[in-house]
Amino acid sequence: MHYKTLLEINPILLALFAALFTWGVTALGASMVFFFKKINQKVLNSMLGFAAGVMIAASFWSLLAPAIEMSEKQGGIPWVPAVVGFLAGGAFLLAIDKILPHLHLGQKLDKAEGIKTSWKRSVLLVLAITLHNIPEGLAVGVAFGALSNNPDTGALAGAVALALGIGLQNFPEGAAVSIPLRREGFSRLKAFNYGQLSGIVEPIAAVIGAYLVLIMTPILPYALSFAAGAMIFVVVEELIPESQTGDESDLSTVGAMLGFATMMLLDVALG
């Protein structure tokens, strides 16, 4: 389908379709559990590092840079929406991190974070992974919602690049979820279901993000920066520490470099 044809579609629908794609790639990655019972720690570190690199690059190239540019065009102080939105996004994820009960992979049950509950270990594990996907869905939704304010092929290409980049890092992320769950004692089918289920929040967050941008256009630079801040929080709080497990931390660093370069290539080439 041609870009000009896509621009005629409601931005909320475009956001939904894009986030369904990223969810589908998560499920595809989670399906690797049917072929592998365990994942090498070096490979896992590399995959998590790659995901971190993609999210860092997307935060700047697809979210913060456009937010600053939009603020300049609106005649405001360019850095204000970027800084305020960025910090608000981080604060939002920090609040969820403190409230939502969750457990990171490889941790004992008594290490669960958030409000204390009697929920099962499997539920807490999935909630931790779901937390990763909220800012990704918001980022996709806000990027496509921005088309209502700037309906040109360049903006659409940038939103598509963002969806492709997030989808790309969702594949290893899906595998990095389901395969460790298999090692935790889950059946292959159950590990797959939990792995793909963690991505269902992305279409929901994408629709919410796109809708809010459509009804409150002036907040767009803040919304883009908010999504960037939320993504960086996840990277620093979750992905980077988890990618540094074991003695081969250099592999996660290389993975992060490759992920950043890949996302930068997609955004600059397509956007």
Side-chain angles (χ1 to χ4, degrees):
M1 188 179 293
H2 197 275
Y3 276 161
K4 289 184 178 179
T5 304
L6 286 174
L7 285 170
E8 297 173 358
I9 301 175
N10 187 302
I12 296 178
L13 278 179
L14 287 177
L16 176 60
F17 294 152
L20 286 174
F21 162 74
T22 62
W23 177 25
V25 179
T26 301
L28 191 62
S31 71
M32 292 298 101
V33 75
F34 293 113
F35 306 98
F36 305 100
K37 186 174 182 179
K38 60 182 181 179
I39 185 169
N40 184 281
Q41 189 62 52
K42 295 179 181 180
V43 175
L44 180 60
N45 286 356
S46 300
M47 293 194 308
L48 291 173
F50 182 88
V54 167
M55 291 179 70
I56 293 171
S59 296
F60 176 74
W61 294 99
S62 298
L63 299 170
L64 285 174
I68 293 171
E69 184 180 343
M70 287 177 191
S71 182
E72 287 178 331
K73 289 180 179 179
Q74 292 173 358
I77 302 174
W79 57 266
V80 171
V83 172
V84 172
F86 184 83
L87 293 177
F92 173 71
L93 259 291
L94 177 62
I96 293 180
D97 189 68
K98 295 296 184 183
I99 296 171
L100 184 70
H102 62 283
L103 178 67
H104 300 300
L105 290 171
Q107 297 289 330
K108 295 181 179 180
L109 192 56
D110 60 2
K111 296 293 184 180
E113 300 178 15
I115 296 174
K116 299 302 179 183
T117 71
S118 58
W119 293 352
K120 292 182 179 179
R121 176 183 177 84
S122 57
V123 175
L124 294 173
L125 287 169
V126 173
L127 286 176
I129 299 150
T130 301
L131 189 61
H132 290 189
N133 294 314
I134 293 175
E136 295 173 16
L138 281 174
V140 170
V142 170
F144 278 95
L147 296 176
S148 62
N149 186 57
N150 184 27
D152 61 41
T153 55
L156 176 58
V160 170
L162 176 62
L164 286 174
I166 289 179
L168 190 62
Q169 65 94 29
N170 273 358
F171 181 85
E173 199 172 66
V177 171
S178 63
I179 295 176
L181 285 177
R182 171 66 175 158
R183 192 172 64 241
E184 296 261 354
F186 289 59
S187 68
R188 283 188 171 87
L189 182 59
K190 191 173 183 180
F192 166 76
N193 284 334
Y194 277 126
Q196 63 84 24
L197 191 62
S198 68
I200 197 173
V201 70
E202 290 192 14
I204 298 170
V207 169
I208 293 173
Y211 177 74
L212 289 176
V213 167
L214 257 65
I215 63 173
M216 294 183 287
T217 302
I219 72 164
L220 182 53
Y222 292 92
L224 288 166
S225 304
F226 181 94
M231 287 177 68
I232 292 297
F233 181 91
V234 167
V235 169
V236 178
E237 170 76 6
E238 312 286 354
L239 291 179
I240 290 178
E242 290 176 8
S243 72
Q244 298 288 321
T245 303
D247 300 324
E248 300 291 340
S249 60
D250 285 349
L251 291 175
S252 60
T253 304
V254 172
M257 295 290 291
L258 291 174
F260 188 99
T262 300
M263 185 64 227
M264 181 169 58
L265 172 64
L266 282 173
D267 195 275
V268 175
L270 295 180

